[in-house]
Structures are given as C-alpha cells and as structure tokens.
Amino acid sequence: MAKLEPELQQDLAAMTTAAEPAAELGQSDVQGALEGNLAIPTMKNGVERAGRFAGIPMSSAHYGTATDCLAQAVYYEAALEPEQGRRAVAQVVLNRVRHPAYPNSVCGVVYQGWNQPVCQFSFTCDGALMRKPRADLWRNAKAIAREALAGHEVAEVGTATHYHADYVLPYWAYRLGKIAKVGRHIFYRFPGSPGRSASFYGRWAGREYKPAIDFARFRRDAAAELAASAVPEYTPGTTVTPDVKDRHAAADVGGRIDTTKEWRLTIPDPVQLSASYHSTLSGQGEVPAITISSSEQAQ
C-alpha cells in the first residue's frame, strides 16, 4: 500500500460525517452545497471492488458485538436512506476495517474518536445514541449488518472510505476522489494507491469492544446550551454598568438615567408652564410682559 500523504494523514481525524440537519440550514447554504458538490467531478474508472468481507465467523463470541456496532452505523447514519444507501454505509465501515489507516475492528472503526471533540461517525459523540431506535428500522439495520458481514457488496461504492450528505460541502470533499452518489450520500475513496483495492488487505483484530459512553455528558451539554440561550431574569439595579473612568459619587450612575427606579423623567408642557407662570404673576399684582413678534412690529 502506498502511504497517505502526510497532510492527508493528519487530517483523517477531522474528516467526520458530522453535518447540521438540512432543516436547520438556510436555503442558500443548502443550494450552495448542492451546486458545489455537483461541480466536483466524479473519478473516471475510480470504482474498484474492495472484495467480500468475511473476517468474522458467526461462531465467534464477538460476532454479536460487531453486528450491533455495524447496525448502529447503518441506523443512525442512514436509517431513512434507500436500502442501497444503507448497505453502502455498512460497506464504508467494513472497508475501513481492512484499511491500514483505520482500526481493524468493526466497533473500533464505528466508535473512533467517540470521546474526542470530533468523531468519525457523528452519532457516537453528539448524543444521538440517547434516542431509542425505531423497532422496524432497527431490525432492518441489523439484517443489513449481518448481510454485510457475510460478504454482501455494493458495487457502485467500491473502495469508498468516506461519505457525506449532499446538502453540505466539507472541505475534505476536494481532497478525496468522488466515486458515487447513493441516496443523499456522496461517497469518496482515497486518491492514488491508498484508494485502490490492493490497499484493503487488513485482517480483523479478532475481538470487538464497544465503549461505555457517558450519556450524562450529553445531558450536561444540553443543559448548558439551554441555559446559555435563555433570556436572563430581570434584576433591579442600574441598567448601565458603571465605568471606572466615570467621575461620580458612589451612589450615582454617572449622569445616566436609572430606569429601574420608580420615578420617570418628565418634561412639562410648555403651554401649561406659560399659563402657570402668568397666573403667578397676576396673583402678585404684576402684569406679565407681552412679547411682540417681529412681524407684528413690522405692521
């Protein structure tokens, strides 16, 4: 196998399937991604068979765990995709199991980065596993996982090791070879020799391990996000934080109006003020002066 380019090798950990739900993206973002993805050319003669996967015997004590991990990837990544799209996701996982750039167990591939800020398959680190699977879709995912482990292949995705939804455009889409689109997922292989079938020679590790995810972490993160978005409760006090450069007494708010107090600033009606002034002068026996405008003087 030809080694991956150093820069690509360093970027592998960040090349995740994570994406914002389409419903939460703006129309312009989605349209831009769709157009950008169409502009990326599909590799000519880029599809090669990775070969049938037959590394885990059904008699193995680890077969059930491997099936469960693979079914989780199918369900949480592609439950609503067409059947061929679900099978394609399963093949990507098994392609990685046999590629030296990735762990050589099913659960190792699926849960790679699960305890890191960025994980390879987003459902393992974004709290999606807290949602209970829908029974019928889960049964289908398990069936597809068993068939994939038995050697079922999806010819059009060949040696694909990556995919993303068509409504997003990750930076790494330009770094790999685009080979197919199945459902809403676009599939990619490594460029050059690392993406050729000869590079998929790794053997299964012989054991499977599913990590114990700390779901309390997701609850804490959700609570913190909710608290950050909440409108702060009104607390009486100054509406403007005093500045150390302000020159004023300790009890003063620096010449700024404190609208949290009971009083409000009012400006008297000029007409009423004038009438009151004239009334006061009359009460004192004085005759208020009459102002004559310049136009009246002209007459």
Side-chain angles (χ1 to χ4, degrees):
M1 183 197 96
K3 293 184 179 180
L4 295 175
E5 296 178 0
E7 187 177 354
L8 182 57
Q9 181 70 47
Q10 292 176 357
D11 281 353
L12 283 185
M15 297 168 72
T16 174
T17 63
E20 291 290 330
E24 297 180 12
L25 296 173
Q27 182 61 35
S28 60
D29 295 329
V30 172
Q31 188 61 35
L34 292 173
E35 294 173 358
N37 285 317
L38 285 174
I40 298 176
T42 300
M43 291 184 68
K44 293 181 179 180
N45 303 320
V47 180
E48 294 185 5
R49 287 187 56 190
R52 297 177 71 254
F53 184 89
I56 308 177
M58 294 183 65
S59 59
S60 169
H62 298 275
Y63 178 82
T65 305
T67 302
D68 196 52
C69 285
L70 186 55
Q72 285 181 323
V74 172
Y75 179 88
Y76 288 101
E77 293 281 303
L80 300 181
E81 287 293 292
E83 182 175 326
Q84 196 73 338
R86 283 170 267 154
R87 293 186 183 280
V89 167
Q91 182 158 323
V92 165
V93 173
L94 297 183
N95 283 350
R96 289 190 178 192
V97 172
R98 291 183 295 175
H99 198 285
Y102 293 97
N104 57 349
S105 68
V106 177
C107 294
V109 164
V110 171
Y111 280 89
Q112 186 176 13
W114 67 273
N115 57 350
Q116 302 297 322
V118 178
C119 53
Q120 290 297 293
F121 294 92
S122 57
F123 74 92
T124 66
C125 64
D126 65 4
L129 284 169
M130 297 176 66
R131 301 194 305 267
K132 185 178 180 180
R134 207 174 88 182
D136 58 332
L137 296 178
W138 177 247
R139 284 194 298 270
N140 178 266
K142 290 289 288 280
I144 287 176
R146 286 192 292 267
E147 291 173 13
L149 290 173
H152 186 281
E153 293 183 75
V154 181
E156 57 261 52
V157 300
T159 59
T161 49
H162 295 77
Y163 62 85
H164 66 79
D166 63 356
Y167 55 81
V168 296
L169 182 55
Y171 75 93
W172 52 260
Y174 298 99
R175 306 281 306 283
L176 305 179
K178 176 182 173 183
I179 57 176
K181 183 171 186 277
V182 184
R184 297 216 67 171
H185 284 148
I186 303 174
F187 293 81
Y188 300 80
R189 50 159 275 191
F190 286 127
S193 296
R196 304 292 297 273
S197 58
S199 294
F200 293 79
Y201 57 79
R203 296 192 174 207
W204 177 56
R207 58 187 176 84
E208 295 288 344
Y209 168 74
K210 183 189 292 186
I213 294 180
D214 178 17
F215 292 113
R217 171 169 65 94
F218 300 123
R219 297 189 186 96
R220 290 192 299 269
D221 291 345
E225 184 177 349
L226 181 62
S229 62
V231 177
E233 184 179 353
Y234 172 73
T235 303
T238 59
T239 56
V240 182
T241 304
D243 191 290
V244 294
K245 297 186 294 296
D246 291 341
R247 293 178 177 273
H248 56 75
D252 189 6
V253 292
R256 293 166 287 195
I257 299 175
D258 185 356
T259 58
T260 64
K261 300 295 188 259
E262 295 295 331
W263 59 268
R264 293 290 185 271
L265 177 65
T266 60
I267 301 176
D269 186 335
V271 176
Q272 294 181 355
L273 178 63
S274 177
S276 176
Y277 172 67
H278 291 169
S279 176
T280 301
L281 291 180
S282 298
Q284 295 175 349
E286 298 183 17
V287 179
I290 299 177
T291 302
I292 301 176
S293 63
S294 60
S295 60
E296 291 175 336
Q297 290 178 349
Q299 295 177 358

